[in-house]
Amino acid sequence: MSSPKSKTALERLGRDLRAARLSRRVAVADLAVRAGTSASTVARLEKGDPGVGIGTLADVLVALGLIERLADLVDIRKDDLGLALTSERVPQRGRSFATTLRKQERQNDKPKRNEPDTVDPDGVAF
């Protein structure tokens, strides 16, 4: 089920698609053939039906010559909230070479799980 905001946005998208189709003087049936879908699917898209796939929307936009608008739909360069949150992040410090060496030494000192235990002549396992 769609939220009220998404329903409103889809209805507006449908109206805009219908206006774009009509301004180009293209019939629903012709647009459907060009987009590789059915006329009823184009009609559902123009009504804002949330069940129409995004691939179908992309095909209709290609047929109308508006596909670049879909690519710009979520442009992260225009995402004010995302940009603000990114700028607030504190940069992480890099790991120094000495720290990396110490970590490797600690790992080398640990016994390997797949190695068999070493048994001394007295029968004590290490």
Side-chain angles (χ1 to χ4, degrees):
M1 177 150 269
S2 300
S3 71
K5 285 185 178 182
S6 65
K7 184 178 179 183
T8 303
L10 288 172
E11 289 172 352
R12 180 176 172 215
L13 173 66
R15 285 192 306 271
D16 291 346
L17 284 172
R18 185 178 190 315
R21 178 181 59 79
L22 292 174
S23 68
R24 288 165 175 74
R25 296 188 174 123
V26 176
V28 172
D30 292 337
L31 180 58
V33 170
R34 292 179 191 173
T37 189
S38 66
S40 63
T41 300
V42 172
R44 287 178 42 219
L45 187 59
E46 289 183 354
K47 290 178 183 176
D49 184 348
V52 179
I54 193 166
T56 303
L57 171 62
D59 292 338
V60 168
L61 290 173
V62 166
L64 292 173
L66 298 171
I67 192 62
E68 70 281 349
R69 304 286 302 272
L70 181 62
D72 292 337
L73 191 61
V74 183
D75 186 354
I76 61 170
R77 295 172 299 228
K78 297 176 185 174
D79 179 14
D80 295 332
L81 176 60
L83 292 171
L85 291 172
T86 300
S87 67
E88 288 179 4
R89 290 191 186 125
V90 178
Q92 295 182 351
R93 291 178 27 195
R95 181 170 287 181
S96 71
F97 182 72
T99 304
T100 304
L101 284 177
R102 284 192 299 271
K103 183 177 179 183
Q104 287 175 356
E105 288 172 359
R106 283 193 305 268
Q107 288 176 348
N108 290 338
D109 290 343
K110 292 180 182 177
K112 304 277 191 258
R113 292 182 183 210
N114 294 336
E115 291 181 9
D117 290 337
T118 305
V119 179
D120 75 350
D122 296 328
V124 179
F126 293 97

